[in-house]
């Protein structure tokens, strides 16, 4: 892959990272996909020095809080659905996606499953394949860069070009992998995009914006955003 292509993609990532609007005249995710080189297998149990350093750095940045824009595409619909909000991840508490637009609600993904909480605080359990809900068994080890859990559950492939990197996590148990292959793309020591397809005919892409790392959430915040 030419260095100029990766440099161009990196510039687009940096330009988009401070904005909650991922869609523009030029889609950074599309540019990254075009620039992606061939991916090679990675052994999570022994990933090698370069990948080990990156994985350790990403794990050390937790807990995190990021703005994000989620894009959902359906093969049977022309319109693309875009949602905006704040993502929070705390190892042990799970993943919290607080959607501010188009309506307020919070999706919590943890070891107990998935719960959707509306703006009034009412909760209901969800299946991983409903309304773009991620699979907790898939996303939690990946977001936490828990190499032991990843090695036990995924085949991993990846590539790096300059500061850009691409990773793919494919469940070893096809039937239990409701999210299918999870794609994670980043620049430097930051995750920029997460994409997966929770069911046939649907694709979900999460563009990460401004991120705070090493966040010390209060007990009240943990109760509010998690469960």
């Amino acid at each position: 892959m030419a260095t100029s292509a990766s440099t161009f993609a990196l510039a687009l990532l940096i330009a988009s990272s401070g904005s909650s609007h991922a869609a523009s005249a030029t889609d950074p995710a599309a540019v990254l996909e075009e620039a992606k080189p061939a991916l090679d297998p990675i052994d999570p149990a022994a990933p090698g020095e370069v990948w080990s350093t990156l994985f350790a750095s990403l794990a050390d940045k937790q807990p995190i809080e990021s703005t994000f824009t989620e894009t959902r595409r359906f093969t049977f619909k022309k319109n693309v659905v875009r949602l905006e909000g704040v993502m929070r991840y705390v190892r042990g508490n799970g993943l919290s996606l607080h959607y501010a637009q188009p309506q307020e609600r919070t999706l919590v993904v943890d070891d107990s499953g998935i719960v959707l909480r509306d703006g009034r605080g009412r909760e209901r359990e969800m299946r991983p394949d409903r309304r773009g809900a991620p699979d907790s068994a898939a996303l939690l080890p990946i977001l936490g860069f828990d190499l032991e859990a990843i090695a036990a559950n995924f085949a991993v492939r990846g590539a790096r070009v300059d500061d850009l990197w691409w990773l793919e996590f494919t469940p070893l148990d096809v039937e239990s992998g409701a999210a299918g292959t999870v794609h994670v793309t980043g620049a430097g020591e930051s995750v920029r995009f997460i994409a997966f397809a929770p069911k046939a005919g649907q694709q979900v892409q999460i563009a990460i914006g401004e991120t705070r790392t090493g966040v010390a959430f209060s007990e009240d915040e943990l109760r509010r955003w998690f469960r």
Side-chain angles (χ1 to χ4, degrees):
M1 179 57 55
T3 300
S4 58
S6 64
T7 302
F8 176 54
L10 179 60
L12 285 172
L13 280 171
I14 293 172
S16 66
S17 63
S19 171
S20 61
H21 297 282
S24 61
T26 304
D27 183 355
V31 174
L32 274 175
E33 185 65 24
E34 183 178 350
K36 182 169 68 175
L39 306 185
D40 296 318
I42 299 172
D43 180 1
E49 182 178 355
V50 173
W51 287 112
S52 292
T53 300
L54 176 63
F55 294 157
S57 175
L58 292 170
D60 288 345
K61 290 180 180 296
Q62 303 160 19
I64 62 169
E65 181 178 76
S66 306
T67 60
F68 74 92
T69 297
E70 181 177 320
T71 303
R72 300 179 186 176
R73 293 180 172 86
F74 304 86
T75 57
F76 52 86
K77 289 184 179 180
K78 291 184 178 180
N79 295 336
V80 175
V81 178
R82 290 187 176 87
L83 308 99
E84 300 179 355
V86 177
M87 169 192 298
R88 298 170 177 87
Y89 176 80
V90 180
R91 183 173 292 179
N93 293 88
L95 169 68
S96 171
L97 298 172
H98 177 67
Y99 297 95
Q101 299 291 339
Q103 61 184 19
E104 185 178 7
R105 62 187 188 275
T106 302
L107 186 72
V108 179
V109 184
D110 57 26
D111 291 334
S112 298
I114 302 170
V115 65
L116 182 65
R117 182 182 301 139
D118 66 20
R120 297 181 179 181
R122 296 174 297 188
E123 297 183 353
R124 63 187 178 91
E125 298 288 334
M126 292 187 67
R127 298 197 309 269
D129 60 347
R130 289 288 302 278
R131 297 187 181 181
D135 179 6
S136 57
L139 283 188
L140 294 182
I142 294 171
L143 289 175
F145 289 90
D146 183 342
L147 296 186
E148 183 176 351
I150 289 172
N153 294 283
F154 299 94
V156 184
R157 298 167 64 235
R160 300 190 67 168
V161 177
D162 297 335
D163 284 338
L164 299 181
W165 48 267
W166 297 260
L167 290 166
E168 291 182 355
F169 302 85
T170 302
L172 297 175
D173 184 348
V174 177
E175 292 188 3
S176 66
T181 296
V182 179
H183 306 260
V184 182
T185 306
E189 296 180 348
S190 299
V191 174
R192 295 302 192 190
F193 292 96
I194 301 170
F196 55 95
K199 62 181 179 180
Q202 181 179 356
Q203 294 180 335
V204 177
Q205 179 188 90
I206 299 174
I208 309 299
E210 294 184 11
T211 299
R212 295 196 302 140
T213 62
V215 180
F217 293 107
S218 68
E219 290 298 323
D220 286 343
E221 288 174 319
L222 290 176
R223 283 192 294 268
R224 179 180 181 185
W225 301 121
F226 300 90
R227 62 170 172 172

